[in-house]
Amino acid sequence: MAQKTYRAAINEALKLEMRRDPRVIVLGEDVAGGRGGSAGVEEAWGGPFGMTRGLIKEFGAERVLDTPITEAAFIGAAAGAAMTGLRPVAEIMFVDFSGVCFDQIMNQIAKIRYMFGGKAKLPLVIRTLYGAGFRAGSQHSQCLYPIYTHLPGLKVAIPSNPYDAKGLLISAIRDDDPVMFFEHKAILGMKSEVPDEAYEIPFGKAKIVREGADVTVVALGRMVHMAERAAAALAKDEISCEVIDPRTTSPLDTDAILSSVRKTGRLVAVDEAYPRCNMATDIVALASQECWRDLKAAPRMVSPPHVSVPFAASLEDLYIPNADAVAAAVRLTVSG
Amino acid sequence: MQQSRDDLCRAYRTMRLIREFDERLHIEFATGEIPGFVHLYAGEEAVAAGICAHLADRDNIASTHRGHGHCIAKGCDTKAMMAEIYGRASGLCGGKGGSMHIADLSKGMMGANGIVGAGTALVCGAALSAKTLGTGAVAVAFTGDGGSNQGTVFESMNLASVWKLPAIFVFENNGYGEASAAEWALAGGDIVRRAAAFDMPGHQVDGNDYFAVWEAMRQAVERARAGHGPSLIECRMTRYYGHFEGDTQNYRAKDEVETLRRTADCLDAFRTRVTAAGLVDAAALDALDAAAKADIEAAIAFAKASPLPPAAALHDDVYVAY
Ligand SMILES: Cc1ncc(C[n+]2csc(CCOP(=O)(O)OP(=O)(O)O)c2C)c(N)n1
Ligand SMILES: [Mg+2]
């Protein structure tokens, strides 16, 4: 099996699904790039971060559509296309820009099936970059997946590694429901083993990243790696962590989380999103209600402070939850 | 309309300062010391200078991701701007914003913006304040050719017209939005034609020609201050560097920028025109060139010597009161 980057895994999933199903189209700003430019190239960028590279060459401009800078229109168009026979994979460059098309996602895409009494299907995927660590400032660094997880009708995937990214994206494209698909911009170059062929990873199925006995650590996206690092450090002190990556927040694998918490009696939830009403609060609330008698210590949440993402390196480094913060929270559950 | 020698020197100084600022950033960025995304304004100086020449501190502008030129033309301090771009405590926003969020409300600079098209709506609000409070101020939104296609922009132009706001929509058509050419992305080809749809005067000018920009803006400001409502100005010019620092620009013909630099540079054109007309002598312009160089040198030194923001700064500024 070959080592592939997160970026390559996404790219491969898109290519495989476009080969498999002619109804799959890709659209977004500069997903090819170079339209009308004086160099006359067919593909200048292949996506601002290269995830859609090579698609236009293989599938042509009819299935790989650059868009003007007009998120409300092209995300709405993707929704309409999904209702009427296509299976679009739309790209919102940074999830922060989803503010521009929030109505289309919140009031249209998420609700259409339900409002129409189950008559409509929206096989639509919205891929988007999220997360801090790029010195990109307050409007290019947010997570925002809790907002989308909040909305009934949307599915939400947050792959933490290349293998999951490919399998989850393939599942997302084959799914008849709309999926918000979050790719962390700071791990695009990360490598792991990724098979060449197509495979699906089911939504709502958590991955036990590391088995352990003392504390359950639930983490998402890039934070999975912080949790793993913390777990490795804590193991030296004989504290055994079970690290769980839910992989999708909607649906959420509550069984996997709850059975782990029942086993360990302790929970730390790690989330890079703003701390109020995020996935950590959601998971802690769930476990508190369902595992009350099994808990040996108060569950803890590790999240950034309730501030926007700062630009300055010194502040952004403080902002992002790191392995030390996770380890400190774990220690508190063990000692407290 | 004739401008005084002082006006002309001020305009040249602004343009040269912007050019020096961004060309120096281009060099410094390559050393890896500057964090994040940086979008350079070099090549478009005549627009910022020609527009802002008509504005005082009480007049507001909303800028874009490519905002250094607007900031300088609106009077922001170059040292504090540079420190902001370096993410230092002495930056205009305390290092919290960076290149894409430089702002100085005391100068009527409502911020560079990371969201393409967003500034147009903010400007409707600034124009509404001016109108309601009777300050006589105007408000100006800068938007790119790419940004001109955002729904917010259309909505804002309509609103400004319906409310007869003292707003001016300046479009900087540099031919590209990221890697896509305006020729492809912009239906109808010209932004100026959209003015008619919103019942406002439209001006299309050569954005390399300071005097053409200045004159269009003079008319737009006069109309706005007289209470007759908004105007649209489309300026056509080019950016000398990539979309962001690091962009290889493989979508542009190899010699496109070099040719334009040689034949259509706004600073060269300005110099030729004012010296030929005997309005400002070459020696005075040379002195402004040297002063701009020294100014930017000092700005870089200031930024590099400034400390990073302290840890406590992470938590403040979220609310006015806690
Ligand atoms: C809402 C939104 N969509 C997309 C982007 C990404 N983006 C940043 S600048 C840019 C191109 C803007 O082009 P234009 O308006 O022509 O300005 P220029 O860069 O040429 O000055 C894009 C697509 C963004 N920042 N905000
Ligand atoms: Mg442009």
Side-chain angles (χ1 to χ4, degrees):
Chain A
M1 226 189 291
Q3 290 271 326
K4 288 171 196 161
T5 62
Y6 196 101
R7 178 186 282 110
I10 297 282
N11 183 263
E12 207 168 88
L14 291 170
K15 281 184 179 151
L16 288 168
E17 290 311 290
M18 290 185 83
R19 277 176 207 149
R20 177 175 180 267
D21 186 343
R23 296 168 303 172
V24 176
I25 62 163
V26 163
L27 67 161
E29 290 160 16
D30 291 308
V31 290
R35 287 330 54 195
S38 53
V41 294
E42 184 185 45
E43 174 184 277
W45 279 11
F49 288 74
M51 264 83 82
T52 48
R53 205 161 282 158
L55 295 186
I56 193 160
K57 192 173 164 61
E58 182 171 349
F59 304 104
E62 248 130 68
R63 292 180 64 201
V64 182
L65 295 104
D66 276 326
T67 68
I69 306 167
T70 182
E71 287 85 3
F74 79 74
I75 291 299
M83 289 170 76
T84 53
L86 292 175
R87 304 184 73 86
V89 182
E91 176 172 308
I92 300 175
M93 202 178 296
F94 288 71
V95 71
D96 314 69
F97 311 160
S98 69
V100 176
C101 51
F102 193 48
D103 171 67
Q104 293 295 335
I105 302 175
M106 175 185 64
N107 285 320
Q108 313 303 325
I109 292 166
K111 296 181 172 51
I112 281 172
R113 179 173 177 79
Y114 190 82
M115 292 188 305
F116 295 176
K119 286 198 186 70
K121 270 195 321 199
L122 272 91
L124 161 67
V125 181
I126 299 178
R127 295 180 38 248
T128 190
L129 288 168
Y130 78 100
F134 235 67
R135 315 300 184 220
S138 295
Q139 294 175 341
H140 284 70
S141 305
Q142 301 173 89
C143 289
L144 302 187
Y145 46 74
I147 293 180
Y148 295 103
T149 304
H150 180 69
L151 296 168
L154 296 179
K155 292 179 178 173
V156 180
I158 311 171
S160 66
N161 62 76
Y163 178 85
D164 286 357
K166 179 171 171 182
L168 286 169
L169 183 53
I170 288 174
S171 297
I173 295 171
R174 294 180 186 176
D175 201 303
D176 281 338
D177 286 316
V179 176
M180 294 292 293
F181 194 88
F182 287 80
E183 302 162 10
H184 199 297
K185 61 177 87 70
I187 57 175
L188 295 178
M190 173 195 170
K191 283 190 176 173
S192 73
E193 301 264 301
V194 178
D196 292 336
E197 66 276 6
Y199 56 92
E200 294 184 43
I201 293 176
F203 276 43
K205 189 87 194 71
K207 179 179 172 191
I208 312 294
V209 179
R210 178 187 179 113
E211 288 194 37
D214 300 328
V215 184
T216 299
V217 181
V218 181
L220 285 155
R222 186 183 180 208
M223 290 298 117
V224 173
H225 308 294
M226 303 297 181
E228 280 189 271
R229 241 173 274 162
L234 289 160
K236 293 188 191 121
D237 294 344
E238 317 269 288
I239 299 173
S240 160
C241 295
E242 180 144 293
V243 178
I244 297 184
D245 174 2
R247 299 198 284 203
T248 60
T249 57
S250 198
L252 180 68
D253 189 349
T254 53
D255 289 350
I257 295 169
L258 295 177
S259 60
S260 177
V261 175
R262 286 192 185 107
K263 179 177 81 175
T264 63
R266 297 184 183 88
L267 170 65
V268 171
V270 189
D271 191 354
E272 192 191 320
Y274 304 131
R276 302 294 312 280
C277 305
N278 70 1
M279 293 318 304
T281 63
D282 192 57
I283 289 164
V284 164
L286 175 81
S288 300
Q289 177 172 294
E290 301 301 325
C291 309
W292 185 247
R293 288 178 202 293
D294 305 295
L295 286 168
K296 299 172 190 157
R300 303 208 70 88
M301 297 168 270
V302 180
S303 298
H306 189 53
V307 305
S308 292
V309 185
F311 168 70
S314 58
L315 300 183
E316 194 182 31
D317 289 344
L318 278 177
Y319 173 90
I320 301 169
N322 59 21
D324 289 346
V326 177
V330 168
R331 285 181 202 283
L332 278 175
T333 64
V334 176
S335 66
Chain B
M1 224 195 206
Q2 195 58 264
Q3 299 179 60
S4 73
R5 183 179 184 280
D6 276 0
D7 291 339
L8 295 173
C9 285
R10 209 174 302 123
Y12 184 82
R13 177 183 174 275
T14 299
M15 292 197 286
R16 180 57 74 192
L17 211 47
I18 297 170
R19 178 69 55 88
E20 281 294 332
F21 191 95
D22 270 4
E23 301 227 292
R24 182 63 185 266
L25 268 181
H26 178 69
I27 293 166
E28 295 294 334
F29 192 89
T31 69
E33 234 189 294
I34 297 175
F37 295 109
V38 172
H39 307 84
L40 300 181
Y41 193 77
E44 312 186 4
E45 293 86 349
V47 179
I51 296 294
C52 294
H54 296 278
L55 305 177
D57 287 353
R58 67 185 173 138
D59 299 310
N60 284 291
I61 67 166
S63 172
T64 66
H65 56 287
R66 197 177 302 289
H68 304 163
H70 309 139
C71 294
I72 291 174
K74 200 68 179 55
C76 294
D77 178 59
T78 48
K79 283 198 176 81
M81 278 179 64
M82 197 64 91
E84 186 59 38
I85 291 165
Y86 273 79
R88 303 302 166 101
S90 56
L92 262 178
C93 305
K96 281 183 172 164
S99 167
M100 268 193 293
H101 306 294
I102 300 176
D104 186 349
L105 295 172
S106 72
K107 296 284 182 193
M109 165 59 195
M110 297 172 75
N113 208 311
I115 303 301
V116 168
T120 49
L122 299 177
V123 152
C124 286
L128 179 65
S129 285
K131 185 175 173 171
T132 308
L133 301 173
T135 64
V138 303
V140 182
F142 289 95
T143 309
D145 49 284
S148 77
N149 297 315
Q150 281 289 31
T152 312
V153 177
F154 299 127
E155 294 175 28
S156 300
M157 289 198 285
N158 188 61
L159 184 67
S161 213
V162 167
W163 281 353
K164 267 203 180 345
L165 293 175
I168 296 159
F169 298 92
V170 176
F171 290 96
E172 303 183 304
N173 186 347
N174 60 11
Y176 292 92
E178 284 189 355
S180 293
E183 190 178 303
W184 171 80
L186 210 152
D190 297 305
I191 300 170
V192 70
R193 287 170 57 197
R194 295 176 179 178
F198 297 107
D199 196 27
M200 62 178 85
H203 309 259
Q204 189 180 53
V205 298
D206 175 0
N208 295 311
D209 181 349
Y210 169 83
F211 297 92
V213 175
W214 187 91
E215 175 53 27
M217 182 62 175
R218 188 189 66 75
Q219 293 177 31
V221 168
E222 192 175 281
R223 176 179 151 87
R225 295 210 204 276
H228 298 316
S231 298
L232 180 156
I233 302 173
E234 176 184 5
C235 306
R236 294 192 162 224
M237 66 290 140
T238 197
R239 58 167 152 81
Y240 282 173
Y241 295 98
H243 168 61
F244 56 88
E245 281 308 270
D247 176 13
T248 58
Q249 301 201 74
N250 57 345
Y251 46 89
R252 300 178 90 170
K254 279 204 166 40
D255 55 354
E256 183 177 290
V257 172
E258 275 326 302
T259 306
L260 288 167
R261 249 188 205 264
R262 224 178 26 252
T263 58
D265 183 76
C266 61
L267 277 147
D268 289 350
F270 186 98
R271 178 182 272 264
T272 305
R273 176 153 170 183
V274 296
T275 51
L279 296 167
V280 187
D281 56 291
L285 298 178
D286 292 345
L288 290 169
D289 289 345
K293 235 188 178 47
D295 185 311
I296 299 310
E297 193 61 50
I300 290 278
F302 175 76
K304 288 184 176 176
S306 295
L308 290 164
L314 178 62
H315 300 275
D316 59 27
D317 302 326
V318 182
Y319 304 101
V320 173
Y322 288 79

